Amino acid sequence: MTISKFTCGAFLLSLGLLGGCTAKFLDEAPADQITDANFYQTQQDAIQAVTAAYSELTKEGQYNAAMWAFDIWADISSTGGDDGNDGIEYKQLEAFSIPTTNFIATRLWGGSFIALQRANIVIQKVPGIANMDPVIQKRCIGEAQFLRAKMYFDLVRAYGDVPLFKAPPTSPTAVNIPRTPAADVYKQIEQDLTDAIGNLPLSYSGDDLGRATKWAATGLLAKVYITEGKKTEAAQRAREVINNSGKTMWANYADNFKVENGNNNAKESLFEIQYVSGRNQYDRNQVGSAMNEFFGPRGANQTPGSGYGFNTPDPDFVSGYEAGDTRRAATVWAPGDTYPDGSKVASKATGSPFGYSCRKWFVGKVNTNIWDSGLHVPVLRLAEMYLIVAEAVGPTTEGLEAINKVRRRSFGLDYTVPSAAHDLTAATGNFTNAVLRERKYELAFEFDRWFDMKRAGTLYPTLTDHAFIPRMTQQAATLKGIAPNVHGIPTQNNLVLPIPQTEIDTNPGLVQNPGY
């Protein structure tokens, strides 16, 4: 079955595909032989249908493969791994030589459309369920609106114009619609999130922890607005989260990335991907995160499979940390660092000639299963809300205080207390660049950097003063085994991914992006 057939809604006729549960609230296993005709009758049916949409977040089409590419494609990391074709799907992106059959482009499209069509079913069917608590009914619709918006936000940023489905297709052929202008897709995203804010609760407890809240929807809307350049609206929504959500930043940056700090203890996180360990092995489409293994230092015997060394931090990125920035130690393994078993990080490794590897998603040998970490992945954090305010209002008193809160915490200081040593001031040159730089180091390996560079205009055409050039020329032969000045220079066509060839072949209404 092609990805296109998944997106057409045929998969929705059998809820046997609702598997892929994550945290406790995703543990409801569907009964066999349930069809669209006899489902959507009870409150449990509604909750289970929403669970199906959430489940795609943990898989290859989202945070277990596809989203990893957006730091490799930017100036954070290189593919790493072994030599030859290991990670070829990422190397194609990294070299800006991307076929229309690229695995990442295909899976991001497919996984996103599966999730949003499942959300469409919820939005269509759940209002008609009579035997249901109206509070839960409203919440389920809000969750589906949030998830549909999240998926379309990823799609429109990655591909540009995409087919816009406001309801599930009624037949396999009904999926064959043309691409909708990005501006209209953004309007729908804004509407969905505005509606979700009105439908979602402030918080959850017990087994429902991890579901989207009002503050997750508000924070995502702030991010959508800043992406669109709607700074007034972005600042307003980010302020709402900062002032009213009850969230605070961890005193220690690294505490955001500890297994024990998920959900109940997630004081800074607004929404996170729910991973669970101990349930699968060698499967990126189940409930465990593969990042501990894939990003773990290659061959260092620090993870159940000894580490694959993917997403290796680039030297330019690592050298950009300011002295005393605690985020470096939480994000990067560097030569001389000490592993949990007491051994030292070597000066170089296969796939990482400078010895760096990603530490942010490292949990070590917490169990014997491979590709099976339970570390949640934050999608939105309070720190990002401060940075959105700073970007939106500029070097005003409010903007400076917002970015300085993030900076103070990065140096291990009380983020509420001014610091003469580390605070930016009104005299700081190019404040917008300062905010984007802060985002680069605050959100590294949280898969935002390529999107930030794209909206800031530093992917193209301002290539001559960007880190792509030194990385892709001076280090090309070492990092990628290719000659300098031959590959790896982005062009205007690389502002979007190619539409997957499977989609072009199946849907005559689709037109490929330029340059592919």
Side-chain angles (χ1 to χ4, degrees), residues 177-253:
I177 65 173
R179 299 167 68 180
T180 301
D184 293 331
V185 178
Y186 271 110
K187 287 179 183 177
Q188 184 60 45
I189 293 169
E190 291 177 14
Q191 186 62 59
D192 274 344
L193 291 173
T194 301
D195 292 342
I197 289 167
N199 287 329
L200 291 170
L202 301 177
S203 62
Y204 296 93
S205 61
D207 290 350
D208 287 324
L209 285 167
R211 295 182 180 276
T213 65
K214 171 181 179 177
W215 305 119
T218 307
L220 185 55
L221 185 54
K223 190 165 184 172
V224 170
Y225 281 142
I226 201 69
T227 300
E228 293 183 276
K230 297 180 177 179
K231 294 184 176 182
T232 300
E233 295 89 340
Q236 175 188 341
R237 291 300 187 174
R239 287 189 200 106
E240 290 174 13
V241 176
I242 291 167
N243 295 332
N244 302 316
S245 68
K247 295 290 183 179
T248 59
M249 291 201 300
W250 288 102
N252 181 3
Y253 175 78

Side-chain angles (χ1 to χ4, degrees), residues 416-438:
T416 66
V417 179
S419 166
H422 299 294
D423 282 3
L424 303 184
T425 69
T428 300
N430 204 330
F431 186 74
T432 298
N433 281 358
V435 175
L436 291 171
R437 183 206 169 279
E438 210 61 43

Side-chain angles (χ1 to χ4, degrees), residues 83-104:
D83 297 327
N85 288 328
D86 194 22
I88 187 63
E89 64 273 24
Y90 298 105
K91 289 179 179 178
Q92 290 167 346
L93 290 164
E94 188 175 18
F96 299 95
S97 180
I98 310 167
T100 58
T101 56
N102 177 268
F103 174 81
I104 297 301

Side-chain angles (χ1 to χ4, degrees), residues 89 127 157 166 404 502:
E89 64 273 24
R157 290 184 297 166
K166 299 180 184 180
N404 285 331
T502 51

Side-chain angles (χ1 to χ4, degrees), residues 250-299:
W250 288 102
N252 181 3
Y253 175 78
D255 285 345
N256 282 291
F257 315 105
K258 294 181 178 179
V259 173
E260 61 268 27
N261 287 342
N263 288 343
N264 257 330
N265 297 318
K267 63 190 296 182
E268 183 172 334
S269 178
L270 299 169
F271 184 72
E272 54 194 43
I273 307 305
Q274 308 283 298
Y275 282 112
V276 180
S277 65
R279 302 191 187 183
N280 63 267
Q281 184 156 247
Y282 289 118
D283 189 346
R284 293 191 296 183
N285 289 304
Q286 289 296 329
V287 300
S289 169
M291 286 195 286
N292 179 51
E293 198 65 65
F294 272 81
F295 293 12
R298 188 174 186 88

